Amino acid sequence: MKHLVFAAGMLGATTAFAETPELIVYTYDSFVSDWGPGPAVEKAFEATCGCDLKLVGAGDGAALLARLKLEGERSDADVVLGLDTNLTAAAKATGLFADHSVSADYALPIAWEDATFAPYDWGYFAFVHNADATAPKNFVELAASDLKIVIQDPRSSTPGLGLLMWVKAAYGDKAPEIWEGLSDNVLTVTKGWSEAYGLFLEGEADMVLSYTTSPAYHLIAEEDASKAAAAFDEGHYMQVEVAGKLAASDQPELADQFLAFMVSDAFQSIIPTTNWMYPAVTPAEGLPEGFDTLVTPEKSLLLSADEAAALRDAALDEWLTALSR
Amino acid sequence: MIGVLFAVALRADPGAGLGPADWSAIRFTVWQAILSASCSVLLAIPVARGIARRRFWGRRVLIALMGAPFILPVIVAILGILVVFGRSGWISDLLVLMGQEPLRIYGLQGVVLAHVFFNLPLATRLILQGWQEIPAERFRLAAQLNVDGPSMWRLLEWPMLRQVVPGAFAVIFAICLSSFAVALTLGGGPRATTIELAIYEAFRLEFDLGRAALLSGLQLVLTGLAAFVALRMAIGEGFGSGLDRPLRRWDGQAAVARGLDVVWITAAGLFLVLPLAAIVLSGIPGLLSLSARSADLLVRAAGNSLVISATSTLLMLVLVVPMTVAIALRPLNGGGVLAELAGLLGLAVSPLVIGTGLFIVLFPFVDPFALALPVTALVNALMALPFALRILVPRVRDILARYGRLALSLDLQGWTFMRVVLLPRLRPQLGFAAGLAAALSMGDLGVIALFSDSETATLPLQVYRLMGAYRTDAAAAGALLLLCLSVGMFYVLDRGGRRHAET
């Protein structure tokens, strides 16, 4: 009980002294972490808005949505940032979101026509390998090879779910055969991206499911050109990360202002070297040096939010059946 | 714990029952938990026996290190294990050099290996404690009567093990039952789906709280059943009272016995130390090249972790002493078992469900984020309870049996009894329990991850975040720091409890 009293006191104190309006943005954990875009974004927005921007991290994208569902309309959040297109259908179905008023000249390889969610960055899923190894050109070649890959479990990880959709988008009804072929290449399946990438860096596997932008981190931050992403000729599935404002927000104008800021240069130029993704709108100064060395897929794959939601359960079953043998 | 589960269930929509996939998850979960717990306990017996009757250089360090694997964040421990046993690990490299195939760790064998790595030390400590609770006079008498080898086993060791082993098994079974990341990663894929993963799926993908609560309830029932059976098997009289004299052992001096002890202790020591050494080795370069910013974050996170750890240890001690006395006052096979069961169940509820339940309970009243640290401390204290009960109950039972009547006749009651009789005799056990609680809380990633904002990260969470942001070297440095802090806290508390005891 003491904690409750203590906490209530603390809360009372903070609200009493808060003179500037407060905008609460729920996002995923790695966004707010010190190495993520969070700190720089907060500083840049607070410099213009005359408000207090509070970024709250809640696990990853899926945990974020679960959190929002738990809180419902009583949620303190004004904006939710960090869902991807695999989640937006479910997010929209909650009825908690209001339409946005953002318009921008997006650099996405696809047209963006979502009235509820606005994109802030995007990337391609890809298998990352050591640059000196020869990589397969597509899933079929990968399945025929004896390369070992580490992937993430679609039930607990966003990239894992992305891979499921990738194979489904590329192969449709033939997806089960692809998974069947891949089953002897899958060294293991991990809970999240960090475990998988860690295993790969330890040399346990030849390739790991990550993003085409992963080698940019090693190149720019570590000056290490030893990692590369394999270009697959059936195309690469995209992850588009989006934000939306909540209908029950007590700061709707500020929320709109934040979403507009989100697609401006100030926000977008922070993204590439903190979130290691492509900015949704290319900033005036262009992409940082090093991004030009990345693999650019010839074909971009993306299922619409509704398709992704409709296909998920069947795709998961196929995946489980093929890999459980 | 039950209340928390209830909160999740109340918020749930009426959901479907269990599908075939759930049943196969249940089968796998139970099977791996039985195997892991059995292996841990069976292997721990000879190791504990060796440590109990030998004095050797590094013995104290080995005992202190036994707190380490148990508290490591899963991801760190997995990477440590893989550096040694992985496909391109040290042993595989050696095998390849000798023209053999590399080790195949991914599969059930990997799951059991990792669980044994986590739990063998705990089992060893619990069983070692059983040996240490045999009064020194018994060994003196045994030596006078020239009892050794098989007779020693029959007269002293087997009766002691029958009391201690079932409890140790129950605790480890409960831990392995709610395993998730270890089982999945080392199990080599969705074949190794555990109930905990199914809970994740229900919660994250389907947001089906009913299913999450149902599966979590199932975990509770399974743990409850196993623990009930195990604790019912824990029978036997105590060893009577001694004069708390320093322990000397005269048995087990034959060459074969010595040799076997050396082999067991060395094997267990290597099995334990090699992955830890891998963590240390990969942490040192990271520590040397740590940027000021990462260092600052790690230090702040370490501060948070220390505060949480100290708070939860204190909370646990405050809770556990009255609980222990209440349990110990009951007959061995009656209500005491039920009370102990209640303590064990805390282990069986998934952190995700605990976190969600707490969230549902707290959210209408306060901002859960403001409570991140206190809630974590409280949950950690509850998580440490079952271990503490396991450690304290047998000893308190003995003390009450030995000194209860004398105390009553001297009208020693309440606080005076605690101060004069109970606590001084309980010191080693309290120290061990506190050390375990502190280390456990230090390494816990469960609840904080659901509640934390950017300022209130604990060390394990910060390590995880570093890994998630590609900062592998800094993460390794953080893991090393965590390892040192946990072992340090464990060592200080555990030694503190046994300051003037021989062992």
Side-chain angles (χ1 to χ4, degrees):
Chain A
M1 269 325 274
K2 240 187 277 169
H3 298 311
L4 292 182
V5 175
F6 172 71
M10 291 276 287
L11 277 180
T14 46
T15 41
F17 289 108
E19 288 153 18
T20 44
E22 192 181 52
L23 184 74
I24 299 175
V25 176
Y26 280 10
T27 182
Y28 45 78
D29 208 49
S30 63
F31 194 91
V32 297
S33 94
D34 234 67
W35 309 274
V41 164
E42 193 176 333
K43 211 165 134 200
F45 188 60
E46 282 175 356
T48 61
C49 72
C51 68
D52 182 14
L53 174 64
K54 198 174 158 208
L55 291 167
V56 172
D60 67 351
L64 188 60
L65 182 58
R67 170 69 177 272
L68 208 64
K69 285 182 178 172
L70 276 181
E71 296 188 357
E73 281 176 10
R74 293 176 306 176
S75 177
D76 291 334
D78 302 301
V79 171
V80 170
L81 179 145
L83 304 173
D84 70 7
T85 43
N86 287 326
L87 295 167
T88 46
K92 213 174 285 186
T94 61
L96 294 170
F97 287 89
D99 284 356
H100 66 78
S101 53
V102 174
S103 63
D105 186 13
Y106 294 122
L108 296 165
I110 48 141
W112 189 260
E113 282 148 2
D114 191 317
T116 316
F117 296 102
Y120 62 93
D121 71 9
W122 61 282
Y124 293 108
F125 291 113
F127 285 96
V128 170
H129 59 93
N130 284 323
D132 51 7
T134 23
K137 298 253 179 325
N138 48 49
F139 281 108
V140 179
E141 265 191 50
L142 174 58
S145 74
D146 52 6
L147 292 170
K148 291 290 183 194
I149 57 173
V150 187
I151 59 174
Q152 299 85 357
D153 197 306
R155 292 167 293 178
S156 58
S157 145
T158 322
L161 193 57
L163 177 62
L164 213 60
M165 294 302 162
W166 184 1
V167 174
K168 200 72 194 165
Y171 286 95
D173 293 340
K174 281 193 175 160
E177 291 160 43
I178 295 295
W179 281 116
E180 200 96 358
L182 287 174
S183 65
D184 60 343
N185 299 90
V186 175
L187 178 71
T188 190
V189 176
T190 63
K191 178 184 171 188
W193 180 89
S194 302
E195 287 92 345
Y197 211 77
L199 250 63
F200 165 69
L201 291 179
E202 290 288 351
E204 281 294 294
D206 304 304
M207 306 217 284
V208 61
L209 177 66
S210 188
Y211 299 90
T212 55
T213 38
S214 298
Y217 168 78
H218 297 284
L219 192 67
I220 296 171
E222 295 178 343
E223 296 176 356
D224 168 13
S226 69
K227 305 283 182 287
F232 276 17
D233 55 22
E234 55 273 79
H236 285 246
Y237 196 73
M238 292 170 61
Q239 182 175 37
V240 183
E241 298 194 293
V242 303
K245 81 169 176 174
L246 289 163
S249 163
D250 56 353
Q251 299 284 351
E253 290 86 26
L254 210 50
D256 282 332
Q257 200 186 330
F258 178 78
L259 290 180
F261 166 77
M262 184 180 82
V263 293
S264 73
D265 271 17
F267 182 108
Q268 292 290 315
S269 60
I270 296 168
I271 289 295
T273 54
T274 51
N275 229 22
W276 302 102
M277 296 282 268
Y278 288 107
V281 180
T282 311
E285 72 266 31
L287 291 172
E289 203 180 324
F291 269 68
D292 53 329
T293 63
L294 301 178
V295 166
T296 337
E298 290 176 3
K299 211 170 132 195
S300 306
L301 304 173
L302 183 67
L303 296 171
S304 75
D306 296 325
E307 281 173 314
L311 285 174
R312 195 194 67 200
D313 287 345
L316 184 61
D317 274 345
E318 292 166 8
W319 182 84
L320 281 172
T321 316
L323 293 193
S324 293
R325 293 233 170 106
Chain B
M1 291 299 163
I2 307 253
V4 161
L5 193 60
F6 196 63
V8 176
L10 272 186
R11 268 293 298 271
D13 314 312
L18 300 169
D22 296 323
W23 285 110
S24 88
I26 292 167
R27 270 198 306 276
F28 177 77
T29 309
V30 172
W31 177 228
Q32 62 83 16
I34 290 178
L35 269 183
S36 305
S38 309
C39 287
S40 303
V41 170
L42 288 180
L43 292 173
I45 293 174
V47 178
R49 180 176 149 131
I51 295 179
R53 66 185 182 190
R54 303 285 162 222
R55 299 289 170 273
F56 51 92
W57 183 86
R59 185 171 177 273
R60 282 181 189 179
V61 177
L62 183 64
I63 293 180
L65 279 181
M66 297 220 148
F70 183 63
I71 47 83
L72 285 173
V74 167
I75 185 170
V76 173
I78 290 179
L79 290 178
I81 291 173
L82 286 177
V83 169
V84 180
F85 299 99
R87 208 167 71 96
S88 57
W90 296 345
I91 294 181
S92 291
D93 285 352
L94 211 65
L95 285 175
V96 171
L97 270 184
M98 297 184 326
Q100 306 283 317
E101 289 278 297
L103 283 183
R104 295 174 57 97
I105 190 174
Y106 301 96
L108 187 60
Q109 66 276 20
V111 179
V112 174
L113 180 93
H115 282 156
V116 171
F117 173 73
F118 279 109
N119 297 310
L120 174 70
L122 178 70
T124 308
R125 281 300 311 257
L126 287 173
I127 295 172
L128 178 62
Q129 200 199 323
W131 252 288
Q132 289 166 345
E133 275 162 15
I134 301 178
E137 288 75 13
R138 292 296 180 106
F139 287 108
R140 185 175 289 262
L141 184 63
Q144 274 169 351
L145 298 174
N146 207 14
V147 169
D148 203 348
S151 330
M152 185 64 130
W153 174 259
R154 188 169 53 82
L155 291 170
L156 283 182
E157 292 173 332
W158 173 240
M160 181 280 292
L161 289 174
R162 281 202 70 174
Q163 280 184 41
V164 174
V165 165
F169 179 90
V171 169
I172 295 172
F173 180 85
I175 299 174
C176 296
L177 201 69
S178 52
S179 163
F180 159 19
V182 173
L184 182 67
T185 308
L186 292 172
R191 275 176 305 260
T193 294
T194 54
I195 302 178
E196 184 80 14
L197 177 53
I199 294 177
Y200 251 72
E201 185 189 354
F203 184 70
R204 290 169 43 104
L205 273 190
E206 293 147 16
F207 197 68
D208 185 345
L209 294 180
R211 234 172 81 82
L214 175 71
L215 289 165
S216 194
L218 203 77
Q219 267 184 332
L220 272 185
V221 171
L222 286 171
T223 309
L225 273 178
F228 188 72
V229 171
L231 293 177
R232 289 293 294 221
M233 280 164 61
I235 45 164
E237 299 287 312
F239 285 93
S241 48
L243 298 171
D244 299 348
R245 234 182 265 183
L247 177 69
R248 265 193 73 190
R249 298 280 299 259
W250 290 268
D251 58 309
Q253 299 305 322
V256 179
R258 278 165 173 270
L260 275 179
D261 284 351
V262 170
V263 169
W264 277 109
I265 294 171
T266 316
L270 281 178
F271 177 62
L272 203 69
V273 166
L274 281 179
L276 294 180
I279 294 167
V280 173
L281 284 182
S282 68
I284 290 173
L287 207 56
L288 295 178
S289 63
L290 207 58
S291 69
R293 197 168 121 202
S294 305
D296 176 52
L297 281 168
L298 286 177
V299 168
R300 261 191 295 150
N304 280 337
S305 281
L306 283 173
V307 172
I308 290 183
S309 168
T311 318
S312 79
T313 308
L314 275 178
L315 267 174
M316 186 281 292
L317 287 176
V318 169
L319 288 172
V320 82
V321 173
M323 264 182 95
T324 313
V325 175
I327 293 172
L329 282 173
R330 291 168 193 268
L332 201 56
N333 287 332
V337 171
L338 286 182
E340 243 190 293
L341 265 185
L344 255 180
L345 293 184
L347 275 182
V349 187
S350 111
L352 185 70
V353 173
I354 295 181
T356 309
L358 282 172
F359 189 89
I360 295 171
V361 173
L362 292 177
F363 182 68
F365 308 107
V366 290
D367 175 10
F369 284 104
L371 289 182
L373 298 185
V375 162
T376 307
L378 180 66
V379 171
N380 287 162
L382 291 179
M383 274 169 48
L385 261 186
F387 302 104
L389 287 177
R390 238 1 296 139
I391 294 164
L392 294 172
V393 167
R395 177 67 176 162
V396 171
R397 202 167 264 149
D398 264 7
I399 295 173
L400 290 179
R402 285 183 211 176
Y403 302 100
R405 281 187 213 141
L406 180 63
L408 274 182
S409 68
L410 294 174
D411 201 23
L412 275 180
Q413 282 181 8
W415 174 239
T416 324
F417 177 76
M418 293 270 259
R419 191 169 51 83
V420 177
V421 182
L422 194 63
L423 292 181
R425 280 178 181 74
L426 209 53
R427 263 184 65 164
Q429 285 76 14
L430 279 176
F432 177 32
L436 214 56
L440 188 72
S441 170
M442 211 58 216
D444 175 57
L445 182 63
V447 174
I448 185 85
L450 293 168
F451 281 100
S452 129
D453 56 26
S454 49
E455 276 102 51
T456 50
T458 58
L459 196 48
L461 184 61
Q462 205 59 269
V463 168
Y464 206 85
R465 281 181 178 168
L466 279 164
M467 291 196 78
Y470 293 97
R471 264 70 177 180
T472 321
D473 288 345
L480 175 58
L481 183 64
L482 181 62
L483 183 67
C484 295
L485 280 178
S486 307
V487 173
M489 291 210 49
F490 183 73
Y491 184 78
V492 167
L493 288 167
D494 192 32
R495 286 304 303 172
R498 295 182 289 132
R499 207 171 46 210
H500 46 221
E502 183 273 341
T503 46

